[in-house]
Amino acid sequence: MIQLSNIEKVYRTKTIETTALNHINLNINKGEFVAIMGPSGCGKSTLLNIMGLLDTPTAGSIAIANQPVTSLSRKRLATFRNLKLGFIFQSYHLINDLSVIDNVELPLLYRKGISGTERRKRALVALEKVGLSARTKHYPNQLSGGQRQRVAIARAIIGDPEILLADEPTGNLDSAMGEEVMNLMLHLNKIDGTTIVMVTHDEQMAKKTQRIIHFFDGQQVS
Ligand code: ADP
Ligand code: ADP
């Protein structure tokens, strides 16, 4: 589902050169739930951003769902990303002056041919999946952290992505709320077959996935 071949990422400023990823070869299969662990600064976010087509590698190639993406134009890349990928962030990235349901609808605004009625309908289905049907008119700051993350998950899955990329999705949550969010992701993986890649510092969360990939200094170490 995700194939990274010889991926290198070097950040260059006038004075410093940082190799964030050092020749990564990694295959993630369809339906897998993978955790990526490693100390701060080892390249986890860079890796996730490259898998998510939010950032481009300095060298190497990427295929997502059997589509080589390295040479796609920016516009095609944006469309492809919107169709195939869902994103979840540690700090939720909800828009505070939009209601829950309007936040969830956002990814569909960028798709052609979906009516407002259809968007609403699909947002309600997504909110039902995350157990928040009763909070559609609330605003993000009226919700707990766990509920906010569930809204963010509803937004991530409204377009039926094949892949979910999650950057420390439980990092800001206490253990009960973290557990709730983790169980939801496990459910999406099992029931919908969504491929999930999750960066985490939390060993307990990582253990619930199918595979843990350990990073150190821009390299996969196990
Ligand atoms: P992690 O997510 O594991 O904490 P990152 O992928 O954020 O690691 O960072 C990997 C390395 O790349 C670090 O040394 C970091 O300082 C560097 N880095 C990340 N983003 C940038 C950037 N935009 N410009 C320069 N260096 C960066
Ligand atoms: P933080 O822990 O600093 O809040 P997040 O987990 O929220 O970080 O975000 C992880 C990475 O994703 C950051 O490097 C950020 O620049 C990037 N990012 C955050 N929001 C978006 C977005 N809406 N679209 C694309 N990239 C984003």
Side-chain angles (χ1 to χ4, degrees), residues 11-13 18-20 38-47 167 199 201:
Y11 292 106
R12 287 190 178 89
T13 63
T18 310
T19 301
S40 195
C42 72
K44 304 180 296 295
S45 292
T46 302
L47 182 75
D167 200 346
V199 166
H201 275 112

Side-chain angles (χ1 to χ4, degrees), residues 2-10 19-27 43 46-51 53 55-63 69-70 215 218-220:
I2 304 175
Q3 288 170 295
L4 303 181
S5 310
N6 246 330
I7 293 291
E8 181 193 66
K9 179 70 180 182
V10 181
T19 301
L21 296 174
N22 195 351
H23 298 283
I24 304 297
N25 288 292
L26 186 57
N27 282 332
T46 302
L47 182 75
L48 211 62
N49 286 341
I50 284 176
M51 283 182 181
L53 313 177
D55 198 357
T56 50
T58 320
S61 61
I62 310 164
V69 293
T70 323
F215 262 73
Q219 282 178 305
Q220 185 181 343

Side-chain angles (χ1 to χ4, degrees), residues 35-211:
I36 296 176
M37 300 194 77
S40 195
C42 72
K44 304 180 296 295
S45 292
T46 302
L47 182 75
L48 211 62
N49 286 341
I50 284 176
M51 283 182 181
L53 313 177
L54 298 166
D55 198 357
T56 50
T58 320
S61 61
I62 310 164
I64 307 262
N66 290 320
Q67 160 82 53
V69 293
T70 323
S71 60
L72 289 183
S73 69
R74 281 181 77 93
K75 200 171 164 214
R76 288 189 154 213
L77 211 58
T79 306
F80 186 82
R81 188 193 301 129
N82 183 272
L83 281 173
K84 300 284 181 188
L85 303 170
F87 296 90
I88 308 168
F89 302 99
Q90 174 169 5
S91 47
Y92 328 124
H93 292 292
L94 299 174
I95 297 178
N96 281 325
D97 49 13
L98 290 181
S99 67
V100 161
I101 193 155
D102 285 341
N103 266 286
V104 173
E105 280 183 24
L106 280 175
L108 294 188
L109 281 179
Y110 300 100
R111 289 200 191 172
K112 293 201 182 87
I114 300 180
S115 68
T117 319
E118 175 71 13
R119 277 204 305 273
R120 271 288 190 251
K121 212 167 86 189
R122 288 177 69 172
L124 284 170
V125 171
L127 282 164
E128 233 160 71
K129 270 195 183 170
V130 303
L132 284 176
S133 312
R135 295 283 187 277
T136 59
K137 301 283 182 231
H138 283 63
Y139 283 80
N141 61 14
Q142 299 171 314
L143 303 175
S144 71
Q147 288 173 330
R148 286 182 209 195
Q149 194 58 296
R150 278 150 61 201
V151 174
I153 292 174
R155 179 185 57 189
I157 64 173
I158 190 173
D160 293 325
E162 291 180 58
I163 301 167
L164 273 183
L165 299 174
D167 200 346
E168 305 239 22
T170 62
N172 283 349
L173 303 175
D174 69 26
S175 59
M177 289 197 287
E179 191 98 351
E180 207 175 86
V181 162
M182 188 63 199
N183 286 337
L184 182 55
M185 288 193 293
L186 286 163
H187 182 82
L188 294 172
N189 171 250
K190 195 169 160 200
I191 304 300
D192 296 344
T194 311
T195 306
I196 306 182
V197 182
M198 173 179 74
V199 166
T200 186
H201 275 112
D202 189 325
E203 189 92 45
Q204 296 311 313
M205 300 294 172
K207 276 186 185 154
K208 296 182 188 206
T209 69
Q210 293 157 13
R211 173 154 66 120

